[in-house]
Amino acid sequence: MKQASASMMEGQVDQNQNEEPIIVCRGINKWYGTHHALKNVSLDVQKGEVIVIIGPSGSGKSTFIRTINALEEIQEGDIIVDGINLSDDIANIDAIRKETGMVFQQFNLFPHMTIVENITLAPIWVRKWPKEKAVSIALELLERVGIHDQAGKYPGQLSGGQQQRVAIARALAMQPKIMLFDEPTSALDPEMIKEVLDVMKTLANSGITLLVVTHEMNFAREVADRVIFFDAGEIMEIGKPQQIFENPQSDRTKLFLSQIL
C-alpha cells in the first residue's frame, strides 16, 4: 500500500493536542467482496473542525463518512465517536447516530408529510420531545436555513435546493455534535447549489464538527480547516486548503486537481 509522506500528512497533527478528538479512526479496512474499498484509513477529527473530503468518483470518500455512523460496516479497524466505540453493539450505534446528523445526495423527505412534520418526526420519537418543543425548534431551524415560510408545505411543492435545506434542518433538529454531508449538492441544478452551500458555510462558522464529501472546490477552499484527498480507498494527502490547492505533494493529487481546476 502507498504510504503518505510526513509532509503530506502534516495536517493530521496540526491540531490542539490538549483536546481529545471527537472522531478517531484507526486502520479502517472495508471490502465489498473482493473489492478493497477502504485501505488502512486513519484520521483524527477535532471538535468544531471542518473537514472537506475530495477525490475522484469511486475513491471511497462516501463509503468512509458512512462508516462513521455505521451506515457502512467495516471489517477491520476502530472508530470512536465522541468517546463511544463503534462496534456491533446496537446501543453504541444508536448512541452515535443520536449525536451524528447526515445529509445525503438525495433529500429522502417523506412526501406525505409537511416540512415541519418531516423535521419534528425524529425529535419526537427518538429524543422524546413534546410536540410543542419539536415544532418550536423546527421553525427556528427553518428560519436559520432561510425557508421559514415553507413550513406547512409538502416536499413536492419545494425546489430541489429548498428540499436539501429542509434535509439539513431535519438533521440539525436532533442537535447533533457532528454533521456528515455526502455530496449534498450533486443532485441539484447549478442555480440551486449556491443556496445550499451558503447554509453549509453558516454551519461551518457555528462550531459544529463537519465532514463534507463534495466536488465543490471553492467551498473547500473557503470553509475547510483541512482538506483530505482520497484515491483508490486511501488517504493520499491531508493539508490545509492553501497547501492542497496551491502546493500539493502527491502526484496523484496534482493530477486530480489539474483535471478539475
Side-chain angles (χ1 to χ4, degrees):
M1 186 192 86
K2 301 171 188 171
Q3 294 291 335
S5 69
S7 61
M8 293 180 200
M9 301 296 285
E10 64 181 357
Q12 184 83 327
V13 296
D14 189 25
Q15 297 295 324
N16 185 346
Q17 298 301 311
N18 294 326
E19 287 190 23
E20 286 294 320
I22 193 168
I23 300 172
V24 176
C25 300
R26 291 286 179 269
I28 304 303
N29 282 278
K30 177 173 179 58
W31 287 264
Y32 295 108
T34 59
H35 174 58
H36 198 174
L38 296 175
K39 303 172 183 176
N40 295 318
V41 174
S42 295
L43 178 70
D44 287 357
V45 179
Q46 299 296 327
K47 182 178 180 182
E49 192 174 13
V50 179
I51 301 287
V52 175
I53 303 172
I54 64 172
S57 297
S59 60
K61 309 182 301 294
S62 294
T63 299
F64 171 62
I65 67 163
R66 289 168 66 91
T67 66
I68 292 172
N69 62 355
L71 290 179
E72 293 284 357
E73 182 182 359
I74 62 172
Q75 281 77 51
E76 292 179 358
D78 293 293
I79 299 174
I80 301 170
V81 180
D82 198 25
I84 303 170
N85 199 317
L86 183 58
S87 62
D88 293 333
D89 188 329
I90 296 299
N92 280 9
I93 293 173
D94 286 345
I96 286 172
R97 286 179 176 169
K98 285 181 181 179
E99 306 302 333
T100 308
M102 187 153 191
V103 178
F104 302 88
Q105 297 178 33
Q106 301 298 328
F107 324 124
N108 299 323
L109 301 176
F110 293 110
H112 63 288
M113 302 175 72
T114 66
I115 298 310
V116 76
E117 287 170 345
N118 266 277
I119 295 172
T120 58
L121 183 65
I124 290 171
W125 285 95
V126 179
R127 293 288 193 194
K128 307 300 182 184
W129 289 354
K131 182 178 179 180
E132 294 77 12
K133 176 181 178 180
V135 169
S136 176
I137 289 176
L139 294 175
E140 289 176 11
L141 289 169
L142 287 172
E143 182 75 41
R144 185 174 175 184
V145 300
I147 47 174
H148 183 271
D149 57 341
Q150 308 297 322
K153 293 184 178 180
Y154 290 87
Q157 297 175 286
L158 274 58
S159 70
Q162 289 173 324
Q163 290 188 61
Q164 192 62 295
R165 284 188 278 168
V166 173
I168 293 171
R170 179 181 58 183
L172 290 171
M174 289 290 287
Q175 299 184 337
K177 296 178 180 178
I178 299 162
M179 285 283 285
L180 309 174
F181 289 86
D182 184 8
E183 298 191 30
T185 60
S186 64
L188 299 177
D189 293 333
E191 65 268 22
M192 297 177 184
I193 291 174
K194 183 180 182 300
E195 63 189 61
V196 173
L197 292 179
D198 284 345
V199 170
M200 293 169 63
K201 289 176 184 177
T202 301
L203 286 180
N205 293 322
S206 71
I208 193 169
T209 306
L210 302 184
L211 274 76
V212 182
V213 173
T214 186
H215 293 290
E216 301 293 333
M217 297 299 127
N218 286 335
F219 175 83
R221 284 180 185 269
E222 292 178 32
V223 175
D225 293 308
R226 287 187 293 164
V227 175
I228 299 177
F229 176 67
F230 256 84
D231 187 50
E234 297 181 68
I235 292 178
M236 302 300 294
E237 189 164 356
I238 301 177
K240 293 186 179 299
Q242 184 177 8
Q243 181 260 302
I244 293 292
F245 290 109
E246 298 180 14
N247 188 31
Q249 303 299 300
S250 161
D251 289 340
R252 184 65 187 91
T253 311
K254 293 176 184 177
L255 176 62
F256 173 76
L257 293 174
S258 72
Q259 293 172 334
I260 64 169
L261 295 179

